[in-house]
């Protein structure tokens, strides 16, 4: 099958650090190509993932611009989708149209592609977000039998508007690459600290994590960006520049007012975005990964990463978290801040080997790719195309387009 993978203009694929959607796209695209499918990636020009072709509207990721004034950022996704549409038309004119477009761009992706009608290939749009924030779109959008949706968890789709649920083909849980280590770190190898691997935001409950860890006598490390800024130096520099629009950003105010006062650089510290080997090492050797979310998390990529590393998870029982974490086996779930603090005192109840084993079974890249292959086949079948995906045994044996 020939797929146009629409990752969006926000971050490179794979991302250099933070970037849940882009990590998922990188993992899925790699698997699809290994299974013989042909993939064109619509991302930003500095994406490094090997693909047959890459198209882009921007030279680099536009994520940090999202904190700017609305009139200055509203067209970013549309500029990207214009390149997607041009790519669809170019390949069709060349006699080798796409079998399917898989878009990960919120709202604008399905809206623009759906507006093309029969002139566009069939479309599958993955829903990575809280659907309430664009409820007016999802309550009214009609894909007209050409655009279909996939959720990233059953709980996410259960909260979706009825019209959207009728166009959804199912939920595909996220996946992450397997750990380079086949065994979790031993107790002797683990550091005393717990880690929060997420952007710093009230939705992620960052302040709850710090307060709970310190009350439990555990050092805590915050590893993630603030409003897209990867470290303290960048944040301070951009805060000093009024053109960035950061001064009124909600996540920035939350960090400055509620999180930063709790940090002492020893027992509680922010290290910014971590990538590659540094992130692997941080997760593998932490006593636990904390997710005190204050919203109905739809997907939870970082949860999968922690369990894949063999690191127990402590999380609020909201959104998809109860479907990712088996309470008492791969982690501990709490209902409120008091319960979260209590859970941090029971980390020894969780066997890291059970965490890694469950992740290998449930969150392996091949599991996600197989699920998407089934959905691709259903989309193509419903739109009157071929019966389904027909991968070859090796991408190298594909004939050129």
């Amino acid at each position: 099958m020939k797929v146009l993978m629409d990752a969006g203009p926000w971050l490179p694929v794979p991302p250099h650090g933070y970037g849940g959607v882009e990590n998922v796209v990188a993992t899925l695209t790699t698997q699809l190509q290994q299974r013989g499918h042909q993939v064109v990636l619509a991302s930003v020009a500095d994406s490094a993932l090997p693909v047959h072709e890459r198209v882009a509207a921007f030279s680099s990721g536009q994520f940090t611009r999202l904190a700017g004034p609305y009139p200055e950022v509203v067209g970013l996704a549309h500029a990207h989708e214009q390149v997607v549409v041009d790519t669809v038309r170019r390949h069709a004119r060349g006699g080798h149209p796409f079998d399917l477009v898989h878009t990960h761009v919120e709202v604008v992706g399905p809206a623009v592609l759906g507006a093309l009608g029969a002139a566009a290939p069939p479309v599958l749009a993955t829903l990575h977000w809280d659907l309430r924030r664009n409820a007016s779109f999802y309550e009214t959008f009609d894909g007209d039998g050409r655009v279909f949706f996939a959720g990233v968890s059953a709980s996410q789709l259960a909260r979706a508007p009825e019209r959207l649920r009728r166009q959804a083909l199912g939920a595909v849980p996220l996946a992450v690459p397997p750990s380079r280590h086949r065994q979790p770190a031993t107790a002797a190898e683990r550091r005393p600290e717990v880690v929060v691997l997420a952007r710093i935001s009230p939705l992620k409950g960052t302040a709850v994590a710090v307060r709970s860890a310190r009350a439990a006598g555990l050092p805590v490390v915050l590893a993630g960006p603030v409003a897209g800024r990867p470290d303290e130096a960048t944040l301070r520099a951009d805060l000093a520049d009024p053109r960035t629009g950061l001064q009124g950003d909600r996540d920035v105010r939350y960090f400055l007012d509620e999180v930063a006062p709790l940090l002492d650089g020893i027992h509680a510290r922010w290290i910014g975005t971590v990538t590659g080997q540094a992130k692997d090492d941080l997760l593998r050797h932490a006593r636990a990964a904390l997710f005190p979310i204050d919203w109905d998390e739809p997907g939870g990529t970082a949860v999968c990463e922690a369990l894949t590393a063999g690191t127990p998870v402590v999380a609020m029982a909201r959104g998809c978290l109860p479907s990712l974490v088996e309470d008492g086996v791969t982690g501990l779930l709490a209902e409120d801040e008091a319960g979260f603090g209590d859970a941090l005192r029971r980390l020894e109840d969780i066997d890291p080997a059970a965490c890694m084993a469950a992740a290998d079974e449930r969150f392996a890249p091949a599991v996600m790719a197989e699920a998407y292959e089934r959905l691709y086949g259903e989309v193509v079948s419903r739109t009157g195309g071929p019966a389904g995906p027909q991968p070859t045994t090796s991408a190298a044996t594909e004939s050129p387009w």
Side-chain angles (χ1 to χ4, degrees):
M1 178 173 281
K2 181 178 175 180
V3 178
L4 175 52
M5 188 70 67
D6 181 11
W10 311 121
L11 293 166
V13 178
H16 303 314
Y18 171 82
V21 172
E22 291 76 15
N23 273 319
V24 170
V25 170
T27 301
L28 176 59
T29 298
T30 299
Q31 279 289 307
L32 291 175
Q33 292 185 130
Q34 289 176 355
R35 299 164 81 87
H37 301 284
Q38 299 175 326
V39 182
V40 172
L41 177 65
S43 178
V44 291
D46 61 349
S47 292
L49 187 74
V51 288
H52 181 88
E53 179 186 352
R54 181 167 52 250
V55 297
F58 300 97
S59 60
S60 59
Q62 303 299 296
F63 183 74
T64 58
R65 293 182 63 187
L66 289 177
Y70 176 79
E72 296 180 11
V73 302
V74 65
L76 295 176
H78 296 81
H80 170 85
E81 286 306 311
Q82 182 170 283
V83 170
V84 171
V85 170
D86 289 345
T87 303
V88 166
R89 290 171 171 164
R90 173 167 55 84
H91 281 254
R93 288 195 303 268
H96 301 284
F98 292 99
D99 295 298
L100 178 139
V101 178
H102 186 175
T103 183
H104 302 262
V105 178
E106 184 178 18
V107 173
V108 178
V112 170
L113 293 165
L116 295 178
V123 176
L124 180 68
T126 292
L127 304 160
H128 291 274
W129 308 274
D130 181 352
L131 303 177
R132 293 173 299 182
R133 74 181 187 182
N134 286 295
S136 58
F137 173 79
Y138 293 119
E139 288 168 352
T140 58
F141 177 76
D142 183 357
D144 197 26
R146 299 289 298 175
V147 180
F148 298 90
F149 294 89
V152 291
S153 68
S155 65
Q156 177 199 36
L157 290 182
R159 297 186 298 274
E162 180 182 354
R163 181 184 288 268
L164 179 59
R165 290 200 303 270
R166 291 201 301 266
Q167 299 174 85
L169 303 181
V172 179
L174 303 177
V176 295
S179 170
R180 297 182 298 106
H181 305 275
R182 299 317 307 150
Q183 297 293 330
T186 65
E189 292 173 323
R190 291 191 186 271
R191 304 182 183 110
E193 63 202 26
V194 292
V195 63
V196 182
L197 186 66
R199 61 187 174 93
I200 295 178
S201 166
L203 296 179
K204 299 296 185 178
T206 314
V208 173
V210 178
R211 288 195 299 265
S212 299
R214 297 198 65 172
L218 296 171
V220 58
V221 175
L222 308 180
V226 175
R229 275 58 184 181
D231 52 48
E232 183 177 357
T234 305
L235 178 63
R236 288 186 180 279
D238 284 354
L239 275 173
D241 183 353
R243 295 172 299 177
T244 64
L246 275 188
Q247 292 75 10
D249 182 84
R250 182 182 66 165
D251 287 355
V252 171
R253 296 315 320 168
Y254 175 74
F255 174 73
L256 295 176
D257 297 342
E258 300 188 41
V259 177
L262 302 175
L263 306 179
D264 62 7
I266 301 174
H267 301 97
R269 54 196 178 100
W270 174 45
I271 62 172
T273 299
V274 290
T275 62
Q277 181 62 43
K279 183 171 77 169
D280 293 345
D281 181 70
L282 182 70
L283 271 180
R284 174 175 164 77
H285 294 99
R287 290 193 62 189
L290 313 188
F291 299 91
I293 57 172
D294 193 27
W295 71 313
D296 293 323
E297 181 88 49
T301 307
V303 176
C304 302
E305 289 179 323
L307 296 177
T308 297
T311 296
V313 165
V314 179
M316 293 294 189
R318 295 194 59 175
C320 69
L321 273 296
S323 69
L324 300 180
V325 179
E326 186 175 356
D327 192 28
V329 178
T330 60
L332 299 164
L333 297 174
E335 299 292 338
D336 52 30
E337 184 169 342
F340 197 89
D342 290 340
L344 290 179
R345 297 175 176 86
R346 296 188 288 118
L347 295 178
E348 301 306 321
D349 294 348
I350 307 302
D351 180 6
C355 300
M356 181 175 283
D360 287 346
E361 179 180 347
R362 299 184 56 206
F363 310 132
V367 174
M368 180 172 66
E370 288 170 6
Y372 271 119
E373 280 186 326
R374 290 192 293 271
L375 293 191
Y376 289 175
E378 186 170 351
V379 170
V380 171
S381 178
R382 289 193 183 200
T383 54
Q390 302 292 327
T392 62
T393 56
S394 170
T397 65
E398 287 286 347
S399 59
W401 306 342

